[in-house]
């Protein structure tokens, strides 16, 4: 199943504490966002990419797209105050009517195999997300005291890209906007409509670079690829 992609790069990278948008941090000589975009650029099933950026950084992203010969970035969309707003703007720039994969630019290690599995699952079920089983014990905390230990057997850590039939995710975002709901991922907006979201088993290496420690993990993942 072919798809369009929305890649999100309009955040500020505050938790990375790098003094700049973490999308420009170099990993193995290439900016984070370039590594992410290259995965989609090389996938023959990706029709086009909408890159969502802060308008103040657009020319910098445009220069990277040219310098690294990223062919499939067909449009830019304006980032919003929250991730959800950025996605909403990205949806307006899509041309297709089929499947859309919505991905964090901060996740450079997504594997093309998962792009295909997610696109196929979204075509079949309407919505699909990559996820991995939680490995730690998770506790609900109140005032830094444990309130409750959550049964781990049904807990999964959900990643991106999150894949959807365009009509479904567009409806979900419009409903959330109308009702003033703000979610931390796109699938939660579909869940609010009472629609199913399929879990596709993902990869623990599909990390979201969020805090400085994640750079260390990313460099180790890159080194392990060289060793392969
Ligand atoms: N208003 C926003 C917020 C986030 N993002 C993007 O959504 C992805 C996941 O967000 P996160 O990891 O939180 O990135 P930041 O918002 O940049 O990080 P922070 O919250 O630490 O500032 C990132 O690729 C980020 O660029 C976005 O496009 N628009
Ligand atoms: C969408 C996401 O990556 C799924 O795990 C996550 O919710 C993004 O959270 P963030 O705080 O916007 O990085």
């Amino acid at each position: 199943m072919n798809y369009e992609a929305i890649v999100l790069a309009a955040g500020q990278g505050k938790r990375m504490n790098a003094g700049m948008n973490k999308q420009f941090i170099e990993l193995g000589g290439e900016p984070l966002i370039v590594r992410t975009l290259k995965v989609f650029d090389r996938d023959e099933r990706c029709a086009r990419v909408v890159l969502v950026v802060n308008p103040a950084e657009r020319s910098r992203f445009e220069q990277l797209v040219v310098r690294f010969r990223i062919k499939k970035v067909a449009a830019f969309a304006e980032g919003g105050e929250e991730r959800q707003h950025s996605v909403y703007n990205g949806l307006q720039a899509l041309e297709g009517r089929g499947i859309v994969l919505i991905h964090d630019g901060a996740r450079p290690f997504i594997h093309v195999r998962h792009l295909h599995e997610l696109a196929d699952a979204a075509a079949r079920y309407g919505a699909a997300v990559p996820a991995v089983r939680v490995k730690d014990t998770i506790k609900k905390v109140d005032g830094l005291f444990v309130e409750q230990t959550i049964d781990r057997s049904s807990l999964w850590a959900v990643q991106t890209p999150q894949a959807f039939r365009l009509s479904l995710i567009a409806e979900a975002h419009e409903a959330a906007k109308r009702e003033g709901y703000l979610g931390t991922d796109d699938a939660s907006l579909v869940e609010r409509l009472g629609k199913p979201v399929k879990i596709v088993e993902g990869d623990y290496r599909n990390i979201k670079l969020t805090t400085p420690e994640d750079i260390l993990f990313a460099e180790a993942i890159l080194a392990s690829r060289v060793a392969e």
Side-chain angles (χ1 to χ4, degrees):
M1 174 58 66
N2 290 346
Y3 62 86
E4 287 181 286
I6 295 172
V7 175
L8 299 163
Q12 297 178 49
K14 285 181 282 198
R15 288 170 288 178
M16 188 58 79
N17 203 22
M20 65 175 177
N21 184 347
K22 63 189 177 184
Q23 305 293 333
F24 300 118
I25 291 175
E26 294 213 347
L27 287 175
E30 286 190 342
L32 167 56
I33 187 58
V34 167
R35 288 192 172 275
T36 303
L37 289 171
K38 278 187 171 181
V39 182
F40 292 91
D41 211 43
R42 292 169 177 162
D43 181 11
E44 76 283 349
R45 290 172 59 174
C46 179
R48 61 198 285 274
V49 175
V50 173
L51 182 56
V52 188
V53 302
N54 180 328
E57 298 175 337
R58 174 160 175 169
S59 61
R60 190 168 176 186
F61 281 103
E62 286 174 337
Q63 288 164 26
L64 287 176
V65 165
V66 170
R67 177 179 161 204
F68 289 92
R69 297 185 173 83
I70 309 290
K71 301 174 299 298
K72 292 189 180 175
V73 173
F76 286 83
E78 190 169 322
E81 185 180 346
E82 300 292 342
R83 180 185 182 282
Q84 185 172 311
H85 304 142
S86 294
V87 174
Y88 185 88
N89 292 346
L91 289 169
Q92 312 316 310
L94 295 181
E95 289 179 351
R97 302 211 182 299
I99 301 299
V100 59
L101 270 57
I102 303 171
H103 189 55
D104 298 332
R107 291 183 187 268
F109 299 121
I110 184 64
H111 195 285
V112 64
R113 178 182 77 253
H114 284 117
L115 301 182
H116 296 174
E117 287 177 14
L118 286 157
D120 292 345
R124 182 173 179 187
Y125 300 104
V129 297
V132 290
R133 287 187 181 277
V134 168
K135 295 188 278 188
D136 297 316
T137 292
I138 304 295
K139 295 183 186 291
K140 193 168 182 298
V141 171
D142 178 24
L144 291 184
F145 282 91
V146 174
E147 189 175 281
Q148 180 190 0
T149 296
I150 311 295
D151 173 10
R152 185 170 72 190
S153 62
S154 61
L155 293 183
W156 292 66
V158 171
Q159 308 166 338
T160 72
Q162 299 193 353
F164 306 93
R165 277 195 212 109
L166 177 56
S167 56
L168 175 58
I169 192 64
E171 176 190 355
H173 266 269
E174 289 298 345
K177 184 177 183 179
R178 191 170 54 247
E179 295 155 18
Y181 178 80
L182 197 59
T184 55
D185 77 341
D186 299 287
S188 59
L189 310 189
V190 170
E191 295 155 37
R192 292 182 78 245
L193 297 181
K195 303 288 186 182
V197 176
K198 184 74 170 70
I199 292 288
V200 172
E201 188 132 18
D203 188 317
Y204 286 106
R205 289 168 293 185
N206 180 26
I207 62 172
K208 178 166 66 74
L209 275 74
T210 307
T211 56
E213 302 80 7
D214 296 326
I215 301 291
L216 302 175
F217 303 152
E219 287 170 346
I221 293 168
L222 282 179
S224 70
R225 283 179 168 179
V226 170
E228 276 173 1

